[in-house]
Amino acid sequence: MIEFCATLLQIARVQADDRYSIHFWLEELGGERFSIEELASLEVEAFLDKKLLRPVLTNLISNAIKYSPYGGQIQFLCTHSAEEIVFRVQDQGIGIPLDDQSKLFKSFYRASNVERIPGSGLGLSIVKEYVELHGGLIELESYVGQGTAITVTIPLLK
């Protein structure tokens, strides 16, 4: 899982320019955090469909970059337990108006404050579908002018 996340992080860092600071953290059950550089000897085994998970996380990280037009920090956090794995992508971007948040995962819907930023309105609807195919949940927390955090929780097979 760590190698998978490290690859996504490398892709994101290529996509972003020097206005962005992108950080990955793996948080163990006890709350201890490890940066990507500290994880050489630590591996998390998870039975997930990487062909579905890759576009989920790639889209969330790409959106964090795209909707943070002035740069800033982007946090990519992975937390796991024996029952689930949780991914959280958080930015310091433009945020999503409250009235738009409940419709954001519908196909072709775009928030009212993104008219100058290109997009089709399909990304998050596909993300939601892929998360649900894993039996997971997706949650959004956003404040206009402060940024957005999207959390994906996927149960692990036993």
PDB file of all heavy atoms in Angstrom, residues 96-104 109 111-112 144:
ATOM      1  N   ILE A  96     -15.760  24.915  -1.360  1.00  0.00           N
ATOM      2  CA  ILE A  96     -17.001  24.631  -2.075  1.00  0.00           C
ATOM      3  C   ILE A  96     -18.152  25.272  -1.296  1.00  0.00           C
ATOM      4  O   ILE A  96     -18.314  25.005  -0.098  1.00  0.00           O
ATOM      5  CB  ILE A  96     -17.228  23.110  -2.183  1.00  0.00           C
ATOM      6  CG1 ILE A  96     -16.049  22.459  -2.900  1.00  0.00           C
ATOM      7  CG2 ILE A  96     -18.537  22.798  -2.895  1.00  0.00           C
ATOM      8  CD1 ILE A  96     -15.935  20.964  -2.690  1.00  0.00           C
ATOM      9  N   PRO A  97     -18.966  26.104  -1.970  1.00  0.00           N
ATOM     10  CA  PRO A  97     -20.114  26.702  -1.280  1.00  0.00           C
ATOM     11  C   PRO A  97     -21.030  25.634  -0.693  1.00  0.00           C
ATOM     12  O   PRO A  97     -21.237  24.575  -1.288  1.00  0.00           O
ATOM     13  CB  PRO A  97     -20.825  27.490  -2.387  1.00  0.00           C
ATOM     14  CG  PRO A  97     -19.743  27.782  -3.395  1.00  0.00           C
ATOM     15  CD  PRO A  97     -18.839  26.580  -3.352  1.00  0.00           C
ATOM     16  N   LEU A  98     -21.569  25.924   0.470  1.00  0.00           N
ATOM     17  CA  LEU A  98     -22.426  24.977   1.184  1.00  0.00           C
ATOM     18  C   LEU A  98     -23.599  24.496   0.321  1.00  0.00           C
ATOM     19  O   LEU A  98     -23.926  23.308   0.329  1.00  0.00           O
ATOM     20  CB  LEU A  98     -22.941  25.619   2.476  1.00  0.00           C
ATOM     21  CG  LEU A  98     -23.705  24.719   3.428  1.00  0.00           C
ATOM     22  CD1 LEU A  98     -22.853  23.538   3.870  1.00  0.00           C
ATOM     23  CD2 LEU A  98     -24.155  25.503   4.646  1.00  0.00           C
ATOM     24  N   ASP A  99     -24.214  25.382  -0.440  1.00  0.00           N
ATOM     25  CA  ASP A  99     -25.351  24.995  -1.284  1.00  0.00           C
ATOM     26  C   ASP A  99     -24.977  23.976  -2.353  1.00  0.00           C
ATOM     27  O   ASP A  99     -25.828  23.233  -2.824  1.00  0.00           O
ATOM     28  CB  ASP A  99     -25.958  26.227  -1.966  1.00  0.00           C
ATOM     29  CG  ASP A  99     -26.665  27.147  -0.990  1.00  0.00           C
ATOM     30  OD1 ASP A  99     -26.966  26.713   0.143  1.00  0.00           O
ATOM     31  OD2 ASP A  99     -26.914  28.310  -1.362  1.00  0.00           O
ATOM     32  N   ASP A 100     -23.711  23.938  -2.760  1.00  0.00           N
ATOM     33  CA  ASP A 100     -23.256  23.021  -3.807  1.00  0.00           C
ATOM     34  C   ASP A 100     -22.817  21.659  -3.262  1.00  0.00           C
ATOM     35  O   ASP A 100     -22.748  20.685  -4.004  1.00  0.00           O
ATOM     36  CB  ASP A 100     -22.074  23.628  -4.570  1.00  0.00           C
ATOM     37  CG  ASP A 100     -22.456  24.846  -5.373  1.00  0.00           C
ATOM     38  OD1 ASP A 100     -23.583  24.878  -5.911  1.00  0.00           O
ATOM     39  OD2 ASP A 100     -21.633  25.776  -5.466  1.00  0.00           O
ATOM     40  N   GLN A 101     -22.501  21.586  -1.994  1.00  0.00           N
ATOM     41  CA  GLN A 101     -21.857  20.392  -1.448  1.00  0.00           C
ATOM     42  C   GLN A 101     -22.703  19.130  -1.582  1.00  0.00           C
ATOM     43  O   GLN A 101     -22.178  18.066  -1.884  1.00  0.00           O
ATOM     44  CB  GLN A 101     -21.450  20.626   0.000  1.00  0.00           C
ATOM     45  CG  GLN A 101     -20.310  21.620   0.117  1.00  0.00           C
ATOM     46  CD  GLN A 101     -19.868  21.871   1.530  1.00  0.00           C
ATOM     47  OE1 GLN A 101     -20.089  21.060   2.422  1.00  0.00           O
ATOM     48  NE2 GLN A 101     -19.213  23.003   1.761  1.00  0.00           N
ATOM     49  N   SER A 102     -24.002  19.215  -1.392  1.00  0.00           N
ATOM     50  CA  SER A 102     -24.842  18.013  -1.455  1.00  0.00           C
ATOM     51  C   SER A 102     -25.009  17.490  -2.875  1.00  0.00           C
ATOM     52  O   SER A 102     -25.395  16.340  -3.071  1.00  0.00           O
ATOM     53  CB  SER A 102     -26.214  18.297  -0.842  1.00  0.00           C
ATOM     54  OG  SER A 102     -26.895  19.266  -1.621  1.00  0.00           O
ATOM     55  N   LYS A 103     -24.711  18.306  -3.886  1.00  0.00           N
ATOM     56  CA  LYS A 103     -24.890  17.905  -5.283  1.00  0.00           C
ATOM     57  C   LYS A 103     -23.571  17.578  -5.973  1.00  0.00           C
ATOM     58  O   LYS A 103     -23.557  17.182  -7.132  1.00  0.00           O
ATOM     59  CB  LYS A 103     -25.583  19.037  -6.047  1.00  0.00           C
ATOM     60  CG  LYS A 103     -26.919  19.432  -5.465  1.00  0.00           C
ATOM     61  CD  LYS A 103     -27.435  20.684  -6.146  1.00  0.00           C
ATOM     62  CE  LYS A 103     -27.825  21.643  -5.047  1.00  0.00           C
ATOM     63  NZ  LYS A 103     -27.989  22.993  -5.451  1.00  0.00           N
ATOM     64  N   LEU A 104     -22.485  17.743  -5.283  1.00  0.00           N
ATOM     65  CA  LEU A 104     -21.164  17.675  -5.900  1.00  0.00           C
ATOM     66  C   LEU A 104     -20.814  16.304  -6.477  1.00  0.00           C
ATOM     67  O   LEU A 104     -20.022  16.214  -7.408  1.00  0.00           O
ATOM     68  CB  LEU A 104     -20.103  18.098  -4.885  1.00  0.00           C
ATOM     69  CG  LEU A 104     -18.826  18.638  -5.483  1.00  0.00           C
ATOM     70  CD1 LEU A 104     -19.093  19.875  -6.308  1.00  0.00           C
ATOM     71  CD2 LEU A 104     -17.839  18.954  -4.391  1.00  0.00           C
ATOM     72  N   TYR A 109     -22.246  17.847 -12.430  1.00  0.00           N
ATOM     73  CA  TYR A 109     -22.490  18.985 -11.539  1.00  0.00           C
ATOM     74  C   TYR A 109     -21.152  19.611 -11.167  1.00  0.00           C
ATOM     75  O   TYR A 109     -20.205  18.915 -10.801  1.00  0.00           O
ATOM     76  CB  TYR A 109     -23.231  18.567 -10.266  1.00  0.00           C
ATOM     77  CG  TYR A 109     -23.633  19.777  -9.466  1.00  0.00           C
ATOM     78  CD1 TYR A 109     -24.797  20.454  -9.766  1.00  0.00           C
ATOM     79  CD2 TYR A 109     -22.813  20.271  -8.470  1.00  0.00           C
ATOM     80  CE1 TYR A 109     -25.153  21.598  -9.077  1.00  0.00           C
ATOM     81  CE2 TYR A 109     -23.154  21.412  -7.767  1.00  0.00           C
ATOM     82  CZ  TYR A 109     -24.325  22.077  -8.074  1.00  0.00           C
ATOM     83  OH  TYR A 109     -24.655  23.214  -7.396  1.00  0.00           O
ATOM     84  N   ALA A 111     -19.486  23.028  -8.922  1.00  0.00           N
ATOM     85  CA  ALA A 111     -19.792  24.058  -7.927  1.00  0.00           C
ATOM     86  C   ALA A 111     -19.932  25.425  -8.599  1.00  0.00           C
ATOM     87  O   ALA A 111     -19.345  25.679  -9.653  1.00  0.00           O
ATOM     88  CB  ALA A 111     -18.702  24.089  -6.858  1.00  0.00           C
ATOM     89  N   SER A 112     -20.672  26.292  -7.984  1.00  0.00           N
ATOM     90  CA  SER A 112     -20.974  27.603  -8.557  1.00  0.00           C
ATOM     91  C   SER A 112     -19.766  28.548  -8.604  1.00  0.00           C
ATOM     92  O   SER A 112     -19.806  29.543  -9.316  1.00  0.00           O
ATOM     93  CB  SER A 112     -22.109  28.255  -7.769  1.00  0.00           C
ATOM     94  OG  SER A 112     -21.754  28.377  -6.407  1.00  0.00           O
ATOM     95  N   VAL A 144     -15.655  27.837   1.948  1.00  0.00           N
ATOM     96  CA  VAL A 144     -15.230  28.755   0.897  1.00  0.00           C
ATOM     97  C   VAL A 144     -14.067  29.615   1.394  1.00  0.00           C
ATOM     98  O   VAL A 144     -14.106  30.159   2.495  1.00  0.00           O
ATOM     99  CB  VAL A 144     -16.411  29.639   0.435  1.00  0.00           C
ATOM    100  CG1 VAL A 144     -15.941  30.710  -0.554  1.00  0.00           C
ATOM    101  CG2 VAL A 144     -17.499  28.786  -0.202  1.00  0.00           C
TER     102      VAL A 144
END
